[in-house]
Amino acid sequence: MKKKLNVVFLIAGSEPLGSAGMQADIKAITACGGYAACALTSIVDEDTTRVKSIFHIPVELIVSQSESFLGDVETGCIKTGVLPSKDIIVGVSDVLSRYKYIPLIVDPVIVNSVGQKLVSDDAIEAYKSLMFPLATLITPNRREAEVLIGHKIENIESDIRELSLWGNSVIIKSIEGDGVLTDYLYNSKTDVVTAFEKPKIDTHNVNGTGDSFSSAIATYLAKGLKLEDAVSKGEEFINRAISLGAEYEFGHGFGPVHPCFMEDKNVHERIYN
């Protein structure tokens, strides 16, 4: 019997820094032992300080890329990144509705690291009505969660459940406390909220953190782990990637995490130093 790859299929955008979007996704998936493939949705022009412009790939091409892969290759998990317009969300959701048996992570990329809104209001509504009902897990950060529920997070137990109305599970990332950040996972199947608390790391190298984290979770789901275990492994991965990324200089703004660490420190030093 031939071996099977732990395939994660991405539907995501590209940017020139290599620290977010499909570039971050592919690095994280590879580092976690998966095989990454991708349908491109957009090309983003940005530096480490701001997003300058976004070019949308034609919907027909995004749909065709997705159909070409999913119709041919056995896939362990699907993950969406930036879906920059309502018509793209409509096209992607139509394809994914035919593959409901494959775990789906929806990372609603609607706000960037500095709080800049990246998509229109009708795209946000399309996320809610079309993508979330298909999702196994959605992964908004605090800012994105507040945009989606329309108010500041005040009671995590009730607010996180508000984001599961479509049957999906939810993880809200980066709720700030006294020197710590906490991610809250709500499993809609068990009605359990789990907190993942970690020390806050003093670093500007956090661009693409959400992409890398959700892709790590997707990889562990593709490997067959249960949701809580996949998230726990994803937390371990992203915390190490942020910690190592903090050691590097990169641009004048928000740089990358360092996903390509290896257990063998000597191997790591030969390759990356």
Side-chain angles (χ1 to χ4, degrees):
M1 293 289 292
K2 290 189 176 181
K3 298 178 181 179
K4 291 186 178 181
L5 296 166
N6 301 307
V7 175
V8 179
F9 182 62
L10 306 161
I11 305 175
S14 172
E15 53 80 63
L17 300 172
S19 57
M22 62 175 284
Q23 286 89 344
D25 293 325
I26 290 169
K27 291 171 187 175
I29 291 165
T30 303
C32 292
Y35 178 92
C38 185
L40 188 63
T41 63
S42 61
I43 300 172
V44 178
D45 178 18
E46 67 177 10
D47 59 23
T48 59
T49 65
R50 65 190 177 99
V51 174
K52 299 178 179 180
S53 64
I54 302 176
F55 172 77
H56 298 182
I57 301 298
V59 179
E60 297 79 11
L61 182 54
I62 298 170
V63 167
S64 182
Q65 291 178 87
S66 302
E67 290 175 334
S68 293
F69 189 85
L70 294 171
D72 184 33
V73 180
E74 185 176 345
T75 304
C77 189
I78 301 168
K79 186 222 145 178
T80 65
V82 63
L83 304 175
S85 68
K86 178 182 177 180
D87 60 339
I88 289 174
I89 293 171
V90 170
V92 168
S93 65
D94 180 63
V95 175
L96 297 185
S97 67
R98 303 171 219 160
Y99 297 93
K100 293 180 181 179
Y101 57 90
I102 302 175
L104 170 64
I105 292 183
V106 175
D107 186 6
V109 184
I110 57 178
V111 179
N112 68 7
S113 299
V114 295
Q116 180 182 4
K117 198 171 176 182
L118 300 176
V119 299
S120 62
D121 290 339
D122 63 350
I124 292 172
E125 291 307 311
Y127 262 115
K128 294 178 183 179
S129 63
L130 298 174
M131 292 299 296
F132 293 175
L134 300 173
T136 304
L137 177 72
I138 68 172
T139 62
N141 61 32
R142 176 185 58 81
R143 290 191 182 97
E144 289 163 340
E146 290 175 344
V147 169
L148 290 167
I149 61 178
H151 59 78
K152 295 285 186 182
I153 292 175
E154 298 171 351
N155 184 315
I156 192 65
E157 291 280 344
S158 59
D159 291 340
I160 199 168
R161 284 176 169 83
E162 192 173 340
L163 288 172
S164 71
L165 298 177
W166 304 270
N168 55 281
S169 295
V170 186
I171 185 164
I172 299 180
K173 303 169 294 190
S174 303
I175 305 295
E176 294 194 33
D178 186 15
V180 298
L181 292 174
T182 305
D183 299 338
Y184 291 92
L185 170 67
Y186 174 64
N187 188 326
S188 62
K189 301 293 187 292
T190 61
D191 193 33
V192 173
V193 176
T194 305
F196 296 89
E197 184 178 286
K198 57 235 178 171
K200 187 175 181 180
I201 298 170
D202 184 18
T203 178
H204 284 290
N205 292 342
V206 293
N207 190 35
T209 302
D211 300 326
S212 300
F213 179 44
S214 56
S215 286
I217 297 170
T219 307
Y220 291 119
L221 287 177
K223 289 183 171 186
L225 274 66
K226 294 181 179 179
L227 180 61
E228 285 85 354
D229 295 332
V231 171
S232 181
K233 292 283 287 182
E235 291 280 357
E236 292 176 13
F237 165 79
I238 197 61
N239 292 342
R240 290 191 67 190
I242 294 171
S243 179
L244 286 172
E247 300 175 6
Y248 294 85
E249 292 183 4
F250 192 92
H252 297 89
F254 292 91
V257 302
H258 195 331
C260 297
F261 57 79
M262 297 182 179
E263 296 296 335
D264 186 332
K265 188 173 185 292
N266 291 328
V267 173
H268 177 275
E269 288 179 349
R270 286 200 303 272
I271 295 175
Y272 296 107
N273 294 332

